[in-house]
Amino acid sequence: MKDIKQRINHEWLLLVSVFLLALFFRFFQITKVPLSLNWDEATFGYNAYSILKTGADEYGQKFPLSFKSIGDYKCPLYIYLMVPIIKLFGLNEFSVRFLPSFLGALTVPLLFMIVKELFKDKKIAFISSLILAISPWHLQFTRAGADVAVSSFFLILGIWLFLKSVNSAQKRFLFYSLSVISFVLTFYAYYGERFFTPLMCLVLIWIYREQVLKTKKEFLKSVLLGVIAFLPLAGSLISSGHQGKILMTTVLGYQPSLEYLAQMRKEDKNQIIFNIFHNDFVGKGIAIISHYLNHFSPSFLFINGPQDNRQRIEGMGMLYFSDIILLLLGFWLFVTNRQKKGYFLVLCWLAVAPLPAAITRDLVHARRSFNMIYPLSIIMALGLVFLIEKIKSIKNRFFKIFISAVLLIFFFWSFVFYLLSYYIFTPLRTYKGPGGWQYGYKELVEFVSPLKSKYNQVIVDTFYQGPYAFFLFYEKYPPENYQKQAVLVKENDWSLGEGKGYDNYLFRKTFWPNDRGTKNILFAGPPESIPKRDIDPRQARLLKIIYFPDGTEAFYIVETTP
Amino acid sequence: MILGGSHISICFIDMGKKAKTKMVIIFILLNLISPWFWVLVKNPMDFVISKNQLYQISNERRLYEVNTFRGEATQHGFGLLGKLTVNKFTWVFKEILARAEESFDSYFLFFKGDLNVKRSTWVFGPVLWVLLPMALAGFLTLTKSRKRMVICSVIFFAFLGSFFEQHYFSPPKIPLFILFNWLATYGMMAFFSGKTKKSFKLLYLILVIFEVSRFIHDFYFHYPNRIASQ
């Protein structure tokens, strides 16, 4: 009895300690690094605020299941879950980032439970969760307000509950039902999961088909429950917004330029040859294969990572440099033990995880392939356990110490470099524009907002994209007022939009040769749109310059004469 | 074979004479259809390695990078940690590791190749992606047979490319491409002599033929223009 008690306490201690560690790494300086909100975060936050205040989104649509936002038709779950957080903490950076960080930290002990179910080994489970707790990839998307962190939590919860249901003799229906509900919730949380979750479910059902067949009554009942839970979303899946999103982001909607096709046709000199080698099927097929394989490339995993400023960590990939050793060892163990269920499941999980990213247009995409980090953590944990055992078995004491020291130095170097890069090097290189963290808007709103009533109009340049989202967010503008004025301006059907404006704000591109002749208007824009040398004191006055973190100029705030 | 006499044991495991001959033929064929071979034959002079292409430790860009990072760390009060993690030694170590890992970059291997268009077609890498499953299968077969020389050879050949300044520099990686084809040969032997359904074998063969034709078509119809436009 005492032994069992001790065991339970020991497991709880492990779980709590790893959770606290995960919590620390996700909440440390959460509002400062990444150093500003991006427009996705701002619109997530403002839409949640709008729901809280009016029960409708920024366009006045009551309790939508697809948020139009900047024309990207956001998934609803993150926004609805954020409502009570905003009620509690107010509309600010912390509220927006709280949920992904908190759920991200909770995912860590959940992985512990999954690995324990799969391998019946607490050591591997603990190391897997420890690796996840400090994983650069996981931290990257659970520190900033990313919907993928929310969906990923429910996915992991669903997998754990599924494993519980096939492995336990009691409460099967309850576990199955909760598992199915968790899986369905991922559809409500992130677009990528609408593709990945069904695949993962098929993998689970196929691997555990014997257990599922034995309990088919409970299983089918819970699937029915899942269908009911999914029904409200079905309508939005066939909406034009959803289809547009699919065509906009995936290779399915991609068409090579007419110039390129004409050039190929000209070089081929023969229409039949052209049709054989340059058809849509071949082009898109090769693109998907290439994108899929890219996610296993050392360049993506260890050296460069993705190019996108919001996803990348300066000077490294999505994993630590030292992880390569653990990964190779672990992968070797997995492949040689693939006939075992647990091992096979992890391999299949890893194989299907990059698929949502593979069908999109980017060469690599760390957010869309986010689910890779879980099987990778498990594989690395096994690699580490194997490595420790190998080192322990070395008989020569000097050699043992030497090898251990080299490996420890390698790991600590990788870890410290990551911390320096994440907190210092990366923010200095990823602050700019919509692809980055859109730094400068908060400072801009703080300066402009108190002055706006003095001017006939305040015109904010859309060079860095999405200013309306930041003005609404930082001004905490009453949603009921904005809903009456909300207009989204899009350049074409495929582009994201810009809010046109509200009150005396107008968000558009400035054309300074014309705009400088206007009277009593406050302009805000980058040096590219408002060149300093063209600010003629007889027409306009430079009130303030807002700087980027590296000291370069971000915004000029200029008033034209009354 | 290609790996030299001392490596002879990794080349053939438990195989009859007939099978060995078959393997050699497939291996030669795979190299003959490999993009790296065609490009090498077309532009042999561009594959000549010169001394000034070697990795230089005191490269100015590298020193600038190190100093910039260290300066930023110092500004934020982490000068010592900055010095310990970002210095000439760690940076060279990191770059050599990065260059070795590049050898396994799928985009380089299968879809782009060398950054110089005269050393790669830029539509195909040095080896064919369609052979990847076979190479993986071959790698598993060989390593399972406790032929650790295979793993050592892969690592050794990968690091050959580390000592050159240019990223994704293909000439020193040619032994690795040959090894890739050798592993694919093993995989193919296992696949075609195994219990796999005939329809799968036929489907795979069609895929290989299609990819080879696509490469040859690109090589003759589009590659010359690509070179000219660069």
Side-chain angles (χ1 to χ4, degrees):
Chain A
M1 193 65 191
K2 200 181 166 190
D3 185 45
I4 294 171
K5 249 185 182 175
Q6 264 179 348
R7 272 187 174 186
I8 292 168
N9 288 341
H10 182 57
E11 187 172 325
W12 272 104
L13 197 69
L14 285 179
L15 274 175
V16 169
S17 61
V18 86
F19 174 63
L20 288 178
L21 182 78
L23 217 52
F24 171 76
F25 275 104
R26 277 149 193 80
F27 278 93
F28 179 68
Q29 293 201 339
I30 188 181
T31 54
K32 290 181 182 162
V33 183
L35 46 78
S36 54
L37 290 186
N38 61 56
W39 62 337
D40 277 337
E41 290 179 295
T43 45
F44 272 129
Y46 189 74
N47 274 292
Y49 183 64
S50 184
I51 293 284
L52 175 72
K53 295 286 176 188
T54 67
D57 75 348
E58 61 185 283
Y59 298 97
Q61 201 191 337
K62 287 279 175 195
F63 297 106
L65 286 175
S66 176
F67 284 78
K68 183 178 168 187
S69 185
I70 48 174
D72 57 349
Y73 294 88
K74 289 179 166 61
C75 288
L77 188 64
Y78 176 31
I79 294 171
Y80 286 114
L81 290 179
M82 208 194 297
V83 172
I85 314 281
I86 288 178
K87 175 86 183 160
L88 205 63
F89 300 114
L91 181 63
N92 53 44
E93 288 98 336
F94 180 79
S95 297
V96 173
R97 290 182 175 170
F98 174 85
L99 209 60
S101 300
F102 185 70
L103 293 180
L106 267 182
T107 312
V108 171
L110 273 179
L111 187 75
F112 177 98
M113 319 275 249
I114 287 179
V115 180
K116 213 184 94 195
E117 285 291 329
L118 286 177
F119 300 98
K120 313 286 177 212
D121 186 329
K122 263 191 231 166
K123 202 202 288 177
I124 299 171
F126 177 66
I127 294 175
S128 303
S129 54
L130 194 66
I131 286 173
L132 187 69
I134 58 166
S135 155
W137 198 343
H138 202 254
L139 284 166
Q140 188 73 7
F141 296 104
T142 53
R143 278 184 60 93
D147 42 1
V148 72
V150 179
S151 71
S152 178
F153 166 77
F154 285 105
L155 183 90
I156 297 295
L157 182 66
I159 293 174
W160 175 61
L161 289 166
F162 180 86
L163 293 174
K164 280 296 266 186
S165 53
V166 292
N167 289 337
S168 64
Q170 290 171 333
K171 296 181 187 169
R172 271 205 194 117
F173 176 64
L174 178 72
F175 285 133
Y176 267 139
S177 306
L178 290 175
S179 165
V180 169
I181 299 287
S182 293
F183 285 136
V184 172
L185 282 177
T186 65
F187 295 149
Y188 286 85
Y190 183 58
Y191 274 96
E193 310 296 24
R194 293 180 185 179
F195 184 51
F196 175 73
T197 304
L199 289 174
M200 193 63 208
C201 289
L202 287 177
V203 165
L204 286 167
I205 293 166
W206 185 56
I207 293 175
Y208 291 93
R209 55 190 178 277
E210 284 167 20
Q211 288 92 324
V212 170
L213 278 173
K214 272 184 207 162
T215 55
K216 61 182 169 207
K217 223 175 183 183
E218 290 101 325
F219 178 74
L220 287 174
K221 269 197 271 180
S222 59
V223 169
L224 194 71
L225 200 69
V227 171
I228 295 167
F230 173 74
L231 276 179
L233 194 67
S236 73
L237 288 184
I238 48 167
S239 69
S240 60
H242 190 265
Q243 284 167 7
K245 172 112 183 172
I246 290 172
L247 291 175
M248 206 155 55
T249 48
T250 64
V251 291
L252 302 175
Y254 175 76
Q255 287 301 327
S257 72
L258 293 174
E259 290 85 357
Y260 169 81
L261 290 176
Q263 174 74 16
M264 291 297 111
R265 197 172 277 129
K266 196 176 135 196
E267 287 172 11
D268 276 342
K269 293 174 193 135
N270 182 319
Q271 187 64 30
I272 297 170
I273 291 181
F274 173 81
N275 288 341
I276 292 173
F277 293 115
H278 300 284
N279 62 61
D280 234 23
F281 182 73
V282 171
K284 286 171 184 167
I286 294 291
I288 290 172
I289 292 166
S290 158
H291 296 180
Y292 179 80
L293 292 175
N294 286 345
H295 289 87
F296 295 98
S297 277
S299 166
F300 170 66
L301 295 175
F302 306 106
I303 308 166
N304 300 317
Q307 293 303 303
D308 185 284
N309 275 339
R310 268 193 243 166
Q311 299 174 43
R312 79 188 177 96
I313 309 159
E314 181 65 27
M316 60 184 281
M318 302 314 296
L319 304 175
Y320 295 110
F321 297 115
S322 55
D323 285 347
I324 191 160
I325 299 171
L326 308 183
L327 204 57
L328 287 175
L329 288 174
F331 198 68
W332 171 244
L333 287 173
F334 264 84
V335 172
T336 47
N337 288 294
R338 64 188 181 279
Q339 64 279 12
K340 293 178 189 165
K341 249 181 203 167
Y343 288 78
F344 189 59
L345 173 63
V346 175
L347 281 182
C348 290
W349 188 350
L350 183 63
V352 293
L355 285 173
I359 60 163
T360 59
R361 296 183 188 184
D362 303 83
L363 286 176
V364 281
H365 205 287
R367 188 168 55 239
R368 292 182 191 133
S369 57
F370 186 61
N371 285 311
M372 283 176 79
I373 188 56
Y374 304 109
L376 285 175
S377 298
I378 300 170
I379 291 171
M380 287 190 282
L382 237 87
L384 185 60
V385 171
F386 178 74
L387 186 68
I388 292 169
E389 276 165 18
K390 278 279 161 197
I391 291 173
K392 270 185 189 170
S393 68
I394 297 173
K395 282 176 187 152
N396 184 324
R397 203 164 159 236
F398 171 76
F399 192 56
K400 193 192 272 187
I401 293 170
F402 176 74
I403 289 281
S404 311
V406 167
L407 289 171
L408 276 175
I409 289 170
F410 189 25
F411 171 72
F412 279 110
W413 170 69
S414 305
F415 184 62
V416 173
F417 180 81
Y418 163 68
L419 292 179
L420 287 176
S421 178
Y422 185 77
Y423 286 97
I424 300 171
F425 308 148
T426 308
L428 288 171
R429 287 162 182 83
T430 58
Y431 52 77
K432 199 173 183 178
W437 291 98
Q438 293 175 292
Y439 182 84
Y441 276 124
K442 186 181 181 183
E443 293 73 8
L444 182 70
V445 178
E446 279 170 359
F447 184 82
V448 167
S449 196
L451 301 176
K452 67 176 177 185
S453 55
K454 276 174 62 186
Y455 299 94
N456 296 339
Q457 204 161 40
V458 177
I459 297 178
V460 182
D461 194 280
T462 50
F463 184 82
Y464 299 123
Q465 291 194 297
Y468 93 100
F470 296 94
F471 275 82
L472 289 172
F473 184 93
Y474 287 116
E475 283 195 338
K476 298 184 179 64
Y477 189 74
E480 58 274 22
N481 293 351
Y482 183 69
Q483 285 160 4
K484 291 172 205 152
Q485 308 170 66
V487 176
L488 189 75
V489 181
K490 289 172 89 173
E491 275 182 15
N492 56 57
D493 287 346
W494 303 99
S495 66
L496 295 175
E498 293 283 354
K500 190 178 176 188
Y502 61 91
D503 294 351
N504 66 338
Y505 283 121
L506 186 63
F507 305 105
R508 65 159 170 84
K509 282 183 177 140
T510 48
F511 185 58
W512 192 238
N514 286 353
D515 286 332
R516 63 184 169 185
T518 54
K519 299 288 178 198
N520 198 32
I521 290 180
L522 187 71
F523 284 93
E528 289 88 343
S529 302
I530 309 175
K532 206 179 201 173
R533 62 173 186 277
D534 292 341
I535 303 172
D536 184 344
R538 286 169 298 180
Q539 295 173 311
R541 190 164 68 96
L542 180 62
L543 293 182
K544 187 176 169 70
I545 301 175
I546 290 169
Y547 293 93
F548 283 129
D550 65 350
T552 53
E553 292 168 339
F555 287 103
Y556 289 156
I557 302 168
V558 180
E559 61 171 12
T560 54
T561 50
Chain B
M1 272 294 306
I2 199 75
L3 304 174
S6 60
H7 297 90
I8 199 81
S9 64
I10 74 160
C11 298
F12 304 109
I13 48 166
D14 310 326
M15 216 173 258
K17 202 177 171 188
K18 221 176 176 184
K20 278 180 192 174
T21 320
K22 215 192 249 178
M23 263 199 85
V24 173
I25 293 169
I26 295 176
F27 173 61
I28 292 170
L29 254 174
L30 288 189
N31 278 300
L32 288 179
I33 60 166
S34 284
W36 71 264
F37 180 75
W38 288 62
V39 179
L40 173 69
V41 171
K42 187 177 170 73
N43 309 312
M45 291 317 289
D46 291 288
F47 279 77
V48 176
I49 296 171
S50 68
K51 208 175 144 190
N52 55 13
Q53 282 168 319
L54 285 172
Y55 188 82
Q56 291 161 345
I57 291 174
S58 295
N59 173 307
E60 261 182 47
R61 182 189 55 82
R62 201 160 295 127
L63 291 176
Y64 174 76
E65 241 175 45
V66 168
N67 289 335
T68 309
F69 279 134
R70 277 163 68 157
E72 287 168 4
T74 308
Q75 259 184 2
H76 286 79
F78 294 97
L80 184 65
L81 274 183
K83 270 182 195 169
L84 285 173
T85 47
V86 186
N87 53 56
K88 219 156 94 174
F89 172 76
T90 56
W91 223 240
V92 168
F93 170 72
K94 184 176 165 262
E95 292 224 331
I96 286 180
L97 200 68
R99 279 167 170 73
E101 288 176 8
E102 273 170 7
S103 306
F104 306 106
D105 194 330
S106 63
Y107 198 60
F108 161 75
L109 281 175
F110 309 118
F111 304 103
K112 171 93 183 186
D114 198 293
L115 301 178
N116 181 341
V117 74
K118 286 189 167 183
R119 289 195 287 265
S120 173
T121 65
W122 284 3
V123 169
F124 286 81
V127 285
L128 296 171
W129 70 265
V130 76
L131 298 180
L132 177 68
M134 294 299 138
L136 288 176
F139 182 76
L140 285 180
T141 315
L142 282 170
T143 40
K144 243 193 212 171
S145 325
R146 299 201 171 273
K147 304 291 172 188
R148 289 188 187 161
M149 274 312 287
V150 178
I151 301 172
C152 295
S153 308
V154 169
I155 293 170
F156 175 74
F157 289 142
F159 271 96
L160 271 184
S162 298
F163 302 99
F164 294 87
E165 192 60 46
Q166 198 195 308
H167 284 276
Y168 299 105
F169 187 50
S170 61
K173 297 183 202 292
I174 287 176
L176 191 74
F177 307 150
I178 296 171
L179 183 65
F180 176 89
N181 284 336
W182 180 248
L183 295 174
T185 310
Y186 248 106
M188 275 195 159
M189 287 291 286
F191 181 71
F192 283 104
S193 58
K195 286 176 188 167
T196 321
K197 275 186 185 173
K198 266 189 182 169
S199 52
F200 280 125
K201 290 177 186 173
L202 187 71
L203 206 70
Y204 181 72
L205 206 64
I206 291 171
L207 194 62
V208 173
I209 292 168
F210 179 77
E211 273 304 288
V212 174
S213 326
R214 201 166 70 87
F215 165 68
I216 295 171
H217 155 261
D218 183 74
F219 190 82
Y220 282 112
F221 288 83
H222 305 297
Y223 183 45
N225 293 317
R226 216 168 289 137
I227 292 182
S229 69
Q230 294 296 316

